Amino acid sequence: MRDGPLYLGFDLSTQQLKAIVVQSDLQVVSDAKVDFDQDFGAKYGIKKGVLLNEDEGEVFAPVALWLDSVDLVLQRLREKNTPLNRIRGISGSCQQHGSVYWGRQAETLLGGLKSDKALVDQLKDAFSHPYAPNWQDHSTQQECDQFDAKLGSAERLAEVTGSAAHHRFTGPQIMRLRRKLPDMYAATSRISLVSSFLASLFLGAVAPMDISDACGMDLWDIPGNSWSEPLLELTAGKDGVAELRSKLGEVRLDGGGSMGRISSYFTTKYGFSPDCDIAPFTGDNPATILALPLRPLDAIVSLGTSTTFLMITPVYKPDPSYHFFNHPTTPGQYMFMLCYKNGGLAREKVRDALPMSSADGSDAWATFNKHALATPPLDIKSDSDSAKLGLYFYLPEIVPNIRAGTWRYTCNASDGSALQEAAQPWPAETDARAIVESQALSMRLRSQKLVTAAPTSGLPAQPRRIYLVGGGSLNPAIARIMGDVLGGAEGVYKLDVGGNACALGGAYKAVWAFERAAGETFDELIGKRWKEEGAIQKVDDGYKEGVFEKYGKVLGAFEDMEERILKVARNT
Ligand SMILES: Nc1ncnc2c1ncn2[C@@H]1O[C@H](COP(=O)(O)OP(=O)(O)O)[C@@H](O)[C@H]1O
Ligand SMILES: O=C(CO)[C@@H](O)[C@H](O)COP(=O)(O)O
């Protein structure tokens, strides 16, 4: 393999840009990353990768930060002596829903990049807007109400686009920016998703959007396989449909193949081969399901900045409370997703509220884990104890659509009856387990429609395997609690690449994009080359008789608690 082709996958997520290089046999040969706060916090004033305008609920990232990061991550790969000249193809995964606004000079500037200058200096006039809205943005309630109403109901919108209206989805975001910044909108020649933006840099031309990532916009008609005319009209006005269509461009239906050769900027500056091809890039969640051969009834829990729960299915069963996307490589397959804003950062808040003892050393997660594991399921220590349930929303949540706040309830452990707000707050130590249980209970509740079969006879309906990815997958206590609540007939596994799963999925996508035989699906090609040993590790037994059922008894109470809180604390 010393001379064979290599494939590069990127992950441009909320807090980092990661790059990973693999061989044709899927062995990882190199990786590098840029941490936005550490590397560019001072230059851009960002925190956790983003800027905030709290008055309006806006969350956004400077596009220039990403340009700087692309040069830096490639420099880091080169410093590690990565043979960039052997890279045959590039793909990648990027945070979903974010949008980048190109100005009229974009194509000329992208096509004329010179290797003696940085991307950030040469592309400063390529954009009509310096910022990309981030998926944590919640400034678009007004637009979301109109999206939900446009086709008759949120249910109908979900049937057409795979999702009801969500603050972060690109259609409502574009609609709001057009209203707030009409001159900027008029000066925009093209709109990219973050994935097609990153692909555009490597292509030296504005790249088409990808068939899976386009489903995160509330604009793409999934059954019709086209932009939805009425939703374009809502976003851009009756007379603006043709203009918006041209800004969005065509969506590329094939997740593989080449969109073109790499820009000479990268060949001259970093030593890429001029024969290196650019495959379509996709969203970070669609790329995550490409990090291993996933089977129906397997579930992935991604513990990044957001927490997501992912499954694949051949059955299109949309519902306003979750998302359906086209599969990024396989027509006729779909990705099911739940997404929570209160993921990694919410767990960090609970962690940081814990009293630290000197015995815990300097590892704050060690304290969190000690309490999470010392607390029994639902904090039921004896038969007479009530079950404890909480919601820990430091940001307004997506599902349920509840404003920021913390709520603590109790109910009877045997059947979830006598649900009531806790008479007094329980100790911070109890929250460590309760927040992870709460996140997992929400996933179990909302994936019930898909998890209707038992993967092993004699066991209750549950996922076959749970795969953990993202930064939080390194945490054994979180793995344990995920297994307690969600089950997993064959157990809970973590990917050895930990936080790099979506970059790895991007790299595998590039392997498939350029090495597939005619008609060979991603699963066929990757299934033949992927070896379980060295790729995944079992980190928990998953289903534990008695424990899984204990959570089942309070699932209804958990749903009732959410409904009660929704009545008084809905996002407006
Ligand atoms: N040992 C750990 N235990 C729990 N969470 C962790 C641990 N290490 C990292 N994390 C979490 O991982 C998150 C980052 O995950 P990552 O997948 O790299 O993020 P993203 O792709 O969203 O930028 C951090 O916000 C942090 O809370
Ligand atoms: O909004 C979503 C999915 O709908 C998020 O999952 C984003 O795609 C970003 O995720 P991180 O990888 O940064 O957590």
Side-chain angles (χ1 to χ4, degrees):
M1 282 287 177
R2 294 181 69 169
D3 301 320
L6 300 177
Y7 297 89
L8 172 56
F10 285 103
D11 170 28
L12 199 180
S13 55
T14 311
Q15 303 188 61
Q16 293 125 350
L17 173 65
K18 299 168 192 157
I20 196 160
V21 179
V22 303
Q23 301 179 153
S24 292
D25 66 358
L26 311 184
Q27 282 292 312
V28 174
V29 296
S30 187
D31 63 7
K33 78 167 185 184
V34 169
D35 182 293
F36 298 147
D37 284 14
Q38 266 168 36
D39 290 304
F40 292 111
K43 179 167 177 186
Y44 291 104
I46 46 162
K47 239 173 136 187
K48 305 271 179 196
V50 292
L51 297 167
L52 305 178
N53 167 10
E54 290 189 19
D55 290 347
E56 297 191 46
E58 289 181 320
V59 185
F60 48 97
V63 180
L65 159 74
W66 297 340
L67 298 175
D68 263 335
S69 301
V70 169
D71 271 327
L72 185 57
V73 84
L74 291 174
Q75 192 185 311
R76 288 184 175 162
L77 277 180
R78 205 177 42 183
E79 282 161 10
K80 286 182 148 181
N81 294 323
T82 312
L84 297 175
N85 59 325
R86 281 173 48 204
I87 290 177
R88 159 82 185 87
I90 304 180
S91 183
S93 85
C94 300
Q95 55 178 285
Q96 298 197 257
H97 320 293
S99 39
V100 174
Y101 298 80
W102 300 96
R104 307 247 171 262
Q105 293 193 65
E107 294 286 3
T108 316
L109 292 171
L110 277 170
L113 290 171
K114 300 279 179 294
S115 56
D116 58 345
K117 286 195 193 142
L119 287 174
V120 72
D121 296 326
Q122 301 185 73
L123 291 177
K124 56 180 185 308
D125 296 325
F127 305 99
S128 52
H129 190 47
Y131 301 114
N134 175 266
W135 63 276
Q136 295 165 100
D137 185 283
H138 46 98
S139 64
T140 54
Q141 186 62 48
Q142 181 185 324
E143 285 74 21
C144 284
D145 291 343
Q146 294 181 58
F147 266 76
D148 275 337
K150 180 70 187 174
L151 305 182
S153 63
E155 284 71 19
R156 182 67 196 135
L157 182 65
E159 278 166 27
V160 173
T161 68
S163 300
H166 291 277
H167 295 147
R168 68 195 190 286
F169 272 50
T170 326
Q173 289 287 340
I174 297 174
M175 187 177 170
R176 176 173 180 274
L177 283 180
R178 177 175 168 266
R179 172 169 62 79
K180 298 265 308 182
L181 305 170
D183 294 343
M184 180 287 280
Y185 182 79
T188 299
S189 63
R190 293 292 301 273
I191 300 173
S192 288
L193 293 173
V194 183
S195 56
S196 55
F197 153 77
L198 190 57
S200 305
L201 299 180
F202 287 97
L203 206 53
V206 177
M209 290 181 191
D210 148 83
I211 182 67
S212 184
D213 215 14
C215 302
M217 302 177 78
D218 274 332
L219 292 177
W220 184 253
D221 179 336
I222 295 181
N225 218 20
S226 62
W227 294 118
S228 157
E229 193 74 15
L231 296 171
L232 291 185
E233 189 184 304
L234 172 67
T235 310
K238 223 180 177 53
D239 301 329
V241 174
E243 186 193 353
L244 178 56
R245 242 179 222 289
S246 122
K247 290 184 206 281
L248 297 172
E250 296 289 320
V251 169
R252 188 181 160 96
L253 305 180
D254 182 3
S258 174
M259 300 196 297
R261 290 272 153 90
I262 193 167
S263 150
S264 61
Y265 174 81
F266 299 96
T267 57
T268 319
K269 189 162 188 164
Y270 297 105
F272 282 89
S273 156
D275 295 333
C276 173
D277 278 295
I278 310 304
F281 286 34
T282 189
D284 56 355
N285 293 297
T288 299
I289 63 170
L290 304 180
L292 74 171
L294 200 67
R295 300 159 299 177
L297 272 191
D298 288 337
I300 296 185
V301 178
S302 171
L303 301 162
T305 308
S306 59
T307 285
T308 61
F309 178 96
L310 312 167
M311 291 181 78
I312 56 163
T313 166
V315 190
Y316 186 63
K317 229 194 253 182
D319 183 282
S321 63
Y322 50 68
H323 310 292
F324 260 77
F325 290 76
N326 285 311
H327 190 282
T329 63
T330 315
Q333 291 279 336
Y334 301 93
M335 180 181 89
F336 162 91
M337 179 171 80
L338 295 164
C339 176
Y340 301 93
K341 268 194 223 169
N342 292 285
L345 303 182
R347 290 187 292 272
E348 284 176 24
K349 293 257 189 213
V350 168
R351 177 198 68 183
D352 296 342
L354 290 169
M356 285 270 280
S357 77
S358 51
D360 299 331
S362 58
D363 179 1
W365 285 115
T367 312
F368 180 94
N369 294 356
K370 185 179 78 184
H371 295 304
L373 293 175
T375 307
L378 301 162
D379 200 26
I380 304 168
K381 298 189 187 79
S382 70
D383 287 350
S384 58
D385 276 356
S386 305
K388 294 195 172 78
L389 299 171
L391 288 186
Y392 300 82
F393 296 163
Y394 299 94
L395 289 167
E397 192 44 274
I398 297 167
V399 275
N401 188 22
I402 286 178
R403 67 163 163 76
T406 308
W407 293 269
R408 294 178 180 83
Y409 275 67
T410 59
C411 65
N412 283 339
S414 57
D415 57 2
S417 61
L419 177 73
Q420 56 188 318
E421 222 171 331
Q424 58 235 16
W426 54 64
E429 287 84 346
T430 312
D431 285 333
R433 186 177 183 100
I435 184 173
V436 184
E437 287 181 335
S438 167
Q439 295 176 341
L441 279 166
S442 178
M443 294 182 227
R444 178 162 162 185
L445 177 69
R446 295 186 162 81
S447 58
Q448 283 181 123
K449 271 198 196 171
L450 233 67
V451 185
T452 49
T456 310
S457 70
L459 292 187
Q462 62 187 293
R464 180 186 288 111
R465 285 185 179 192
I466 310 275
Y467 291 106
L468 302 181
V469 301
S473 67
L474 306 172
N475 187 308
I478 295 178
R480 170 72 198 240
I481 300 168
M482 287 290 160
D484 286 351
V485 181
L486 293 171
E490 290 182 9
V492 179
Y493 295 75
K494 86 172 164 67
L495 263 71
D496 280 348
V497 289
N500 274 352
C502 22
L504 190 69
Y508 287 3
K509 188 167 187 284
V511 174
W512 169 75
F514 303 115
E515 295 202 358
R516 63 183 176 179
E520 191 177 23
T521 65
F522 179 89
D523 285 337
E524 285 163 357
L525 184 142
I526 296 299
K528 274 184 236 151
R529 301 183 192 188
W530 189 79
K531 294 182 198 74
E532 195 166 306
E533 322 74 69
I536 54 172
Q537 262 180 59
K538 190 164 180 175
V539 287
D540 185 64
D541 288 339
Y543 176 73
K544 295 161 208 95
E545 197 179 343
V547 178
F548 181 81
E549 289 76 7
K550 202 174 261 188
Y551 288 105
K553 288 180 189 150
V554 299
L555 206 54
F558 184 81
E559 190 173 16
D560 289 348
M561 171 180 74
E562 285 189 347
E563 271 163 23
R564 281 195 206 174
I565 298 167
L566 254 176
K567 284 199 186 110
V568 292
R570 179 180 285 278
N571 278 315
T572 49

